[in-house]
Amino acid sequence: MLNPVERYKSGVMPYAQMGYWDADYNPKDTDVIAVFRITPQDGVDPIEAAAAVAGESSTATWTVVWTDRLTACELYRAKAYRVDPVPGSPGQYFSYIAYDLDLFEEGSIANLTASIIGNVFGFKPLKALRLEDMRIPVAYLKTFQGPPTGIIVERERLDKFGRPLLGATTKPKLGLSGKNYGRVVYEALKGGLDFVKDDENINSQPFMHWRDRFLYCMEAVNKAAAATGEVKGHYLNVTAATMEDMYERADFAKELGSCVVMIDLVIGYTAIQSMAKWARRNDMILHLHRAGHSSYTRQKTHGVSFRVIAKWMRMAGVDHIHAGTVVGKLEGDPNVIKGIYSICRDSFTHKNLEQGVFFDQDWAGLRKVMPVASGGIHAGQMHQLICYLGEDVVLQFGGGTIGHPHGIQAGATANRVALEVMIKARNEGRDIWNEGPEILDEAAKWCSPLRAALETWKNVTFNYQSTDTADFVATATPA
């Protein structure tokens, strides 16, 4: 870095010379650390590009300003301290940047993201920029509420242990009347599912007002619970145009006795945190549908990795988040999905480059988030889902329930039987990954709904190349 006279001379100078690059910097335990994938324009030095990202996401502007000297500027400057080439991707670099904790407002995802992703993604010297991962210090985590319920308390409220939870999304997601919508919910819950859910874009449309949907759905929930003796639920989507509307809908859901409400990611970080606080006050499970995320999480070179979104949402305070299926119709590399699930469910997430996790993350007692697997899954994949995703997960079979040839209730029964026999086999020590199809076929001999499900969807797969994979190359080391 230049001496003060040269550093604060009016004009333009490289960001690295302004103090936003420090190869000798050792991050503090209280620093927020971000790793970006940067793709500089041709002729732009990667270190200067990293320094520019650090500067533009903290205190810098395009020219020298003397007012820096009115602040603790050396403290407040973000510091790029490491730049590594991305394996197998010429022209791309992983840049590690540390931010002092004082740069962020406590307990605010909106403020955190306004700095980290607020302005820098349109910076002209970069062809592309992607936020790959973040290390959130314990000191900052403790300013966030986190999930209002958490996995342990949710299981206690539902009285369901030792297996994944089962759900489905009402189909068609748009167009049903309130009464017919409620019929779908009842049939699915009566057949053996734990939850049914609204989809992301069912709010309050001309064909079905939100209040009608809530009334018919809760009637279905209560009837199914009485018929089965199990706790049941329906994710009532309270997403709306204003916070006042959302609070009104959530309050009505509580008044009707619902144990869960739902919101969409597109409502924004402030609204999500506001609803999380409401859910904590009202002992309600909060389900988050990640509507819109793929518009900025799916591409490898530009945007925000979903593992970062998962971290932010655990901090913001949701109990459920759609996090990928591996085997379904939506994007999901097995290793990347494992990394996301560990972020949701671990007390301490360990660095695992193979899974795209760049940092150790101590969650400081923040409650755990229940991942939700949905999108193109069916009973024939049950052994794969359990092996990939474990048991602390909601498996949502929408079309795989409602599209069953014998009806909705039969579809739900097929999924419940497939789950129960697979968990039983696992608990008996069988190799369900390899024996799964045999286990399902045996159960199908005495369960006609399962037999019909397997026959209907036995050849359905979604084997496409994932676009978001971890950039990990194993290297041999001397013995």
Side-chain angles (χ1 to χ4, degrees):
M1 184 172 168
L2 303 175
N3 65 60
V5 174
E6 293 297 319
R7 167 62 181 84
Y8 292 102
K9 184 181 294 184
S10 294
V12 177
M13 68 174 60
Y15 288 89
Q17 290 186 18
M18 287 197 284
Y20 297 101
W21 167 258
D22 186 351
D24 296 324
Y25 184 72
N26 185 25
K28 305 187 294 290
D29 289 341
T30 55
D31 283 347
V32 172
I33 305 176
V35 58
F36 291 91
R37 178 195 299 262
I38 59 174
T39 308
Q41 293 279 11
D42 295 342
V44 176
D45 179 72
I47 287 178
E48 174 61 13
V53 172
E56 292 290 335
S57 59
S58 60
T59 64
T61 187
W62 63 276
T63 189
V64 174
V65 293
W66 68 267
T67 45
D68 275 349
R69 304 191 72 178
L70 301 178
T71 73
C73 55
E74 293 184 9
L75 176 67
Y76 294 151
R77 289 188 189 108
K79 298 168 184 66
Y81 62 92
R82 176 179 168 186
V83 172
D84 298 333
V86 176
S89 298
Q92 297 178 22
Y93 303 86
F94 288 133
S95 171
Y96 292 74
I97 299 175
Y99 301 82
D100 189 83
L101 188 57
D102 283 357
L103 294 172
F104 307 105
E105 179 178 351
E106 61 273 14
S108 173
I109 297 294
N111 176 256
L112 174 68
T113 56
S115 285
I116 303 298
I117 63 171
N119 196 44
V120 70
F121 278 69
F123 199 49
K124 284 184 176 180
L126 304 176
K127 289 181 180 178
L129 180 67
R130 190 180 198 234
L131 178 59
E132 292 285 349
D133 200 2
M134 295 185 70
R135 196 282 309 264
I136 310 296
V138 168
Y140 195 44
L141 275 178
K142 296 300 284 186
T143 69
F144 288 87
Q145 169 190 282
T149 308
I151 291 176
I152 294 173
V153 175
E154 176 175 351
R155 285 197 176 277
E156 290 173 345
R157 289 184 188 172
L158 300 176
D159 194 28
K160 301 177 193 296
F161 304 94
R163 64 166 175 86
L165 302 177
L166 284 179
T169 302
T170 306
K171 304 293 182 182
K173 56 187 178 182
L174 298 175
L176 291 171
S177 67
K179 186 172 184 178
N180 284 331
Y181 198 95
R183 289 174 61 188
V184 175
V185 173
Y186 172 76
E187 292 291 330
L189 294 176
K190 175 67 163 51
L193 301 189
D194 303 305
F195 290 117
V196 184
K197 71 176 283 290
D198 293 341
D199 220 336
E200 75 281 359
N201 56 348
I202 186 71
N203 298 141
S204 191
Q205 284 102 327
F207 52 82
M208 182 171 56
H209 189 267
W210 70 268
R211 188 178 294 269
D212 292 337
R213 183 172 81 257
F214 283 25
L215 287 167
Y216 281 114
C217 285
M218 287 311 300
E219 179 185 17
V221 167
N222 293 331
K223 285 185 175 181
T228 62
E230 296 182 338
V231 179
K232 303 288 186 179
H234 181 84
Y235 307 157
L236 296 169
N237 191 358
V238 302
T239 297
T242 69
M243 284 306 304
E244 290 75 17
D245 291 338
M246 291 174 65
Y247 286 139
E248 179 188 7
R249 297 178 192 190
D251 287 337
F252 190 58
K254 179 189 176 185
E255 182 182 329
L256 294 176
S258 179
C259 64
V260 57
V261 294
M262 168 184 158
I263 55 176
D264 290 337
L265 180 62
V266 292
I267 67 175
Y269 303 134
T270 298
I272 291 169
Q273 287 195 261
S274 297
M275 285 306 304
K277 290 181 181 295
W278 179 93
R280 173 71 68 86
R281 289 194 304 270
N282 290 279
D283 293 325
M284 193 75 78
I285 298 167
L286 185 61
H287 178 95
L288 177 72
H289 189 294
R290 56 179 182 172
H293 81 96
S294 285
S295 60
Y296 51 87
T297 64
R298 189 176 182 189
Q299 299 305 317
K300 287 190 68 170
T301 59
H302 192 82
V304 181
S305 165
F306 191 77
R307 73 183 64 88
V308 177
I309 302 298
K311 286 186 176 182
W312 292 345
M313 292 303 100
R314 186 168 178 178
M315 295 159 65
V318 302
D319 289 309
H320 293 177
I321 186 170
H322 292 244
T325 67
V326 180
V327 299
K329 68 181 181 181
L330 303 178
E331 172 70 30
D333 172 74
N335 281 322
V336 170
I337 297 300
K338 286 180 182 179
I340 293 169
Y341 273 57
S342 71
I343 286 166
C344 292
R345 300 187 301 201
D346 289 354
S347 299
F348 188 103
T349 301
H350 293 278
K351 176 181 176 180
N352 189 324
L353 294 179
E354 189 173 4
Q355 296 178 2
V357 179
F358 286 75
F359 304 106
D360 285 344
Q361 179 65 64
D362 186 342
W363 285 102
L366 218 59
R367 288 179 174 88
K368 300 173 182 179
V369 177
M370 182 83 82
V372 177
S374 65
I377 58 177
H378 54 82
Q381 301 164 324
M382 192 63 73
H383 55 297
Q384 297 171 310
L385 291 165
I386 293 171
C387 289
Y388 276 128
L389 308 179
E391 66 181 36
D392 280 331
V393 60
V394 183
L395 302 177
Q396 293 202 161
F397 303 86
T401 297
I402 298 163
H404 193 282
H406 297 172
I408 298 167
Q409 192 167 149
T413 299
N415 291 319
R416 181 66 176 266
V417 170
L419 175 64
E420 297 284 359
V421 298
M422 204 59 66
I423 291 296
K424 180 175 183 292
R426 183 204 64 179
N427 293 346
E428 291 171 347
R430 296 183 66 179
D431 177 5
I432 64 171
W433 178 261
N434 292 308
E435 298 180 51
E438 177 187 339
I439 293 166
L440 292 173
D441 287 341
E442 284 296 317
K445 292 178 181 178
W446 54 264
C447 179
S448 59
L450 178 57
R451 183 165 62 250
L454 296 179
E455 290 172 353
T456 300
W457 294 302
K458 61 183 176 182
N459 295 320
V460 176
T461 59
F462 298 92
N463 296 323
Y464 297 96
Q465 182 69 37
S466 293
T467 59
D468 184 14
T469 56
D471 294 276
F472 172 80
V473 176
T475 55
T477 57

